[in-house]
């Protein structure tokens, strides 16, 4: 089985956007607030939104299962208050659940949290528990910067985040560290803010000893880990200067990287620098880059092609990247697949 650990519902029916527009309008005029969380989306509309996009690409590219979450750029935790974010997260997560029910062989859910700048992360725990225990989700997206590009929250290693980590360990679910929209004009959302956040999260984890407190906590840093693999020598050297253990011991029992890197040399570098056991296959399709590479004639986000070209990978290591590591990191995944009759 080829498992794509990083997919977002970027093609959701237009009613979802209409609901969000109502929510935002209602922040200024209470009479505009949505009166119901029933989006009026039919099963056929969900099928139509996927059949020509994610499902079509799964079939064409030879992938089997996508670990699927709400659209990251639309999480927009900086918009509105706690009630706004709670309602928006619930609506988005319920839609992912419907996708997984309609296509149990193709999608497994990961949840959006109702984060709000300045609000304790522990307030997100009820929605996380609902999604894992009731909806059968296997992970969460954790935004280290719910302010949207202004970085007002403490580092991920601060005790501010500990309640959510305790619940993650209890539920045996990993977090993909994933920011959302950028309000800061200095940072393009997908080209700068996302990659900056990946790099920042890695450096935050390097500077502290979080995993001494949470030895089974698991994080996935997406988009190939930002700058980390490219500057691995810098980070090894910084860790050494800080009197930290070697990175393999300090971080790599708990931190993993996905393959959302959109050219072959980048994937090749990732697999040369990062141990195979720490790499999870992912494409983020249909996502940040949707066009074809004129140099190859193939879609930039067809990341399976790049991995298939890696002649240095043994069959065993290729299987780890495509399947085994995802089953290891997402501790609840095997049980979900077994319940669905999948191997």
């Amino acid at each position: 089985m080829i498992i794509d650990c990083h997919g977002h519902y970027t093609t959701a029916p237009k009613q979802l956007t209409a609901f969000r527009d109502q929510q935002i309008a209602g922040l200024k005029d209470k009479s505009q607030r949505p009166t119901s969380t029933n989006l009026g989306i039919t099963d056929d509309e969900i099928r139509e939104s996927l059949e020509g996009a994610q499902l079509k690409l799964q079939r064409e590219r030879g992938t089997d299962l996508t670990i699927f979450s709400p659209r990251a750029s639309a999480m927009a935790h900086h918009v509105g208050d706690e009630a706004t974010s709670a309602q928006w997260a619930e609506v988005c997560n319920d839609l992912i659940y419907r996708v997984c029910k309609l296509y149990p062989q193709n999608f497994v859910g990961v949840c959006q949290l109702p984060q709000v700048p300045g609000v304790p992360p522990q307030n997100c725990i009820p929605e996380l528990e609902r999604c894992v225990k009731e909806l059968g989700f296997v992970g969460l997206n954790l935004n280290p910067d719910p302010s949207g590009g202004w970085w007002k929250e403490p580092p991920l290693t601060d005790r501010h985040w500990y309640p959510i980590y305790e619940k993650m360990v209890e539920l045996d679910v990993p977090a993909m560290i994933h920011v959302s929209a950028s309000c800061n004009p200095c940072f393009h959302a997908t080209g700068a803010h996302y990659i900056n956040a990946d790099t920042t999260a890695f450096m935050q984890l390097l500077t502290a000893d979080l995993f001494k407190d949470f030895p089974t906590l698991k994080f996935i840093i997406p988009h190939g880990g930002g700058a980390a693999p490219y500057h691995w020598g810098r980070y090894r050297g910084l860790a050494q200067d800080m009197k930290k253990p070697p990175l393999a011991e300090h971080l790599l029992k708990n931190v993993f990287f996905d393959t959302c890197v959109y050219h072959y040399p980048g994937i090749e570098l990732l697999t040369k620098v990062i141990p195979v056991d720490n790499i999870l296959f992912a494409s983020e399709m249909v996502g940040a880059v949707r066009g074809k590479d004129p140099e190859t004639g193939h879609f930039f986000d067809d990341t399976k092609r790049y991995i298939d070209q890696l002649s240095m990978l043994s069959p065993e290591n290729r299987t780890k990247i495509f399947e085994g590591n995802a089953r290891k990191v997402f501790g609840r995944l095997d049980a979900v697949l077994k319940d669905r009759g999948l191997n």
Side-chain angles (χ1 to χ4, degrees), residues 2-6 57 61 63 223-224 258-264 266-268 270-271 280-285 289 298-310 313 318 321-322:
I2 296 177
I3 300 171
D4 185 338
C5 80
H6 186 173
L57 294 174
R61 298 177 185 180
T63 61
H223 318 116
D258 78 14
T259 65
C260 291
V261 180
Y262 293 155
H263 64 151
Y264 174 76
I267 290 288
E268 185 179 39
L270 178 69
T271 55
L280 279 68
F281 171 67
S283 69
E284 205 178 7
M285 62 93 174
V289 179
H298 296 278
F299 286 97
F300 282 101
D301 64 0
D302 186 358
T303 55
K304 182 178 178 293
R305 289 187 66 257
Y306 308 135
I307 297 166
D308 287 342
Q309 293 175 57
L310 292 169
L313 281 183
R318 198 177 303 272
I321 291 174
F322 279 137

Side-chain angles (χ1 to χ4, degrees), residues 199-309:
T199 309
T200 299
F202 181 81
M203 189 63 200
Q204 288 178 359
L205 297 173
L206 186 154
T207 58
D209 297 300
L210 176 65
F211 302 118
K212 287 185 178 179
D213 290 341
F214 297 99
T216 61
L217 188 66
K218 295 184 179 69
F219 289 129
I220 302 159
I221 301 182
H223 318 116
Y230 189 70
H231 288 284
W232 199 245
R234 176 182 293 255
Y235 294 115
R236 287 178 55 235
L238 287 169
Q240 180 175 287
D241 290 347
M242 295 176 190
K243 310 302 181 187
K244 300 295 183 185
L247 292 183
E249 179 183 339
H250 185 45
L251 297 181
L252 295 187
K253 296 176 183 177
N254 307 86
V255 178
F256 303 85
F257 304 83
D258 78 14
T259 65
C260 291
V261 180
Y262 293 155
H263 64 151
Y264 174 76
I267 290 288
E268 185 179 39
L269 172 73
L270 178 69
T271 55
K272 284 182 176 180
V273 173
I274 303 300
V276 167
D277 288 344
N278 291 81
I279 301 173
L280 279 68
F281 171 67
S283 69
E284 205 178 7
M285 62 93 174
V286 179
V289 179
R290 301 192 180 192
K292 286 186 177 181
D293 184 343
E295 296 180 4
T296 66
H298 296 278
F299 286 97
F300 282 101
D301 64 0
D302 186 358
T303 55
K304 182 178 178 293
R305 289 187 66 257
Y306 308 135
I307 297 166
D308 287 342
Q309 293 175 57

Side-chain angles (χ1 to χ4, degrees), residues 19-40:
F19 176 88
R20 183 60 164 172
D21 290 344
Q22 275 191 289
Q23 264 200 325
I24 293 171
L27 296 173
K28 294 182 178 180
D29 179 358
K30 293 182 179 180
S31 68
Q32 299 295 314
R33 290 179 178 175
T35 57
S36 171
T37 56
N38 184 347
L39 303 179

Side-chain angles (χ1 to χ4, degrees), residues 140-178:
L140 60 141
N141 288 337
L142 182 66
N143 187 349
D145 173 37
S147 68
W150 300 106
W151 289 92
K152 296 180 178 180
E153 304 301 299
L156 289 168
T157 52
D158 190 272
R159 288 187 174 273
H160 169 83
W161 301 95
Y162 274 30
I164 203 82
Y165 298 161
E166 291 166 0
K167 186 55 62 173
M168 286 170 57
V169 169
E170 177 190 326
L171 296 173
D172 192 16
V173 291
M176 178 168 283
I177 299 173
H178 206 309

